Amino acid sequence: VTETGDHGGDTSDELHATLFLYSPNPIFPPAMQPYLEPSLISDSVSQKNIVPTLSLLLGLPIPYSNLGSIIPDLFLNQETLLSSLSFLSRGLLANCLQVWRCLKHYSLLSSDIPHHEMTSFRLKIETIISLYQSDNFYEIDYLHEFIEKCTDFLRHSESLCQSIWARFRIERMSYGICLLTFVSLIQYYICINISNH
């Protein structure tokens, strides 16, 4: 948020905020530190990822329309590698299912998401569910594969949504500028005529 209370822009104040989390217990128990994968630890966090992370850590459902991803670092806080990866996997599963429900509902209301993309998402979520229901789910190698599939699903959905919703359409922007100019000229004309009478 800027000094004037603005948000949602591209200034440094809006894009670079500090996230400070405190826990009386170590976030990464000493026994876990040798096993932490660099790919799961992040130096920076997107603001859209704070809501799903805090929701799950507080035991609440992720808000329906949130398309962020959980912050993996904060789910690797159990005493053993297996329990940490299991906890992270359950969080990622909840995150993927929530994003899938949102995308599926959105695709029914709009044709923005191409059919082949929805098919790809459906196949990915079916694979994720199948892995979760497997008898091997609580094996470390299997959990790594599950985490990779979930992360891929969330990255793919984020990339697709950004390409759909963050578009600048020059022709529509030009039309808006022309309309604004036209309305401004009409208002100016009306004000001039009123002041002359």
Side-chain angles (χ1 to χ4, degrees):
V1 178
T2 65
E3 291 179 12
T4 58
D6 296 328
H7 60 86
D10 60 357
T11 66
S12 178
D13 288 342
E14 293 164 290
L15 296 177
H16 300 101
T18 301
L19 172 64
F20 176 79
L21 299 169
Y22 172 79
S23 172
N25 300 321
I27 291 181
F28 302 117
M32 274 297 297
Q33 291 181 7
Y35 302 104
L36 294 176
E37 296 178 38
S39 64
L40 295 176
I41 306 302
S42 53
D43 291 333
S44 64
V45 174
S46 176
Q47 292 178 11
K48 70 182 174 309
N49 297 341
I50 294 172
V51 170
T53 301
L54 292 180
S55 295
L56 290 182
L57 290 175
L58 293 171
L60 302 170
I62 299 171
Y64 172 73
S65 61
N66 184 280
L67 295 172
S69 302
I70 62 171
I71 303 167
D73 314 29
L74 301 178
F75 288 80
L76 296 172
N77 61 354
Q78 307 300 307
E79 287 300 318
T80 67
L81 177 62
L82 181 61
S83 59
S84 285
L85 292 177
S86 298
F87 186 53
L88 172 60
S89 295
R90 289 189 303 275
L92 284 168
L93 176 66
N95 196 184
C96 288
L97 290 173
Q98 176 269 326
V99 169
W100 169 242
R101 279 190 299 272
C102 185
L103 290 174
K104 196 165 57 168
H105 183 82
Y106 181 79
S107 72
L108 295 174
L109 301 174
S110 171
S111 60
D112 286 349
I113 301 177
H115 179 72
H116 72 276
E117 290 286 4
M118 286 306 294
T119 300
S120 173
F121 283 122
R122 183 181 50 77
L123 292 173
K124 286 181 181 191
I125 203 72
E126 287 173 357
T127 300
I128 288 168
I129 292 169
S130 165
L131 287 171
Y132 182 74
Q133 294 172 341
S134 168
D135 292 337
N136 301 328
F137 184 71
Y138 290 101
E139 295 175 12
I140 289 180
D141 290 339
Y142 212 77
L143 288 169
H144 282 289
E145 180 184 354
F146 181 82
I147 290 167
E148 186 179 308
K149 298 283 185 194
C150 289
T151 305
D152 175 60
F153 176 87
L154 293 167
R155 283 188 187 134
H156 184 184
S157 65
E158 178 182 6
S159 172
L160 177 74
C161 291
Q162 283 180 346
S163 72
I164 290 171
W165 296 324
R167 283 188 257 179
F168 294 99
R169 296 184 177 123
I170 299 298
E171 65 280 351
R172 290 186 183 180
M173 293 169 64
S174 300
Y175 174 75
I177 291 170
C178 289
L179 184 61
L180 179 65
T181 303
F182 179 71
V183 169
S184 297
L185 289 173
I186 290 174
Q187 287 180 332
Y188 177 76
Y189 177 75
I190 291 171
C191 287
I192 295 293
N193 283 338
I194 290 175
S195 66
N196 288 340
H197 291 335

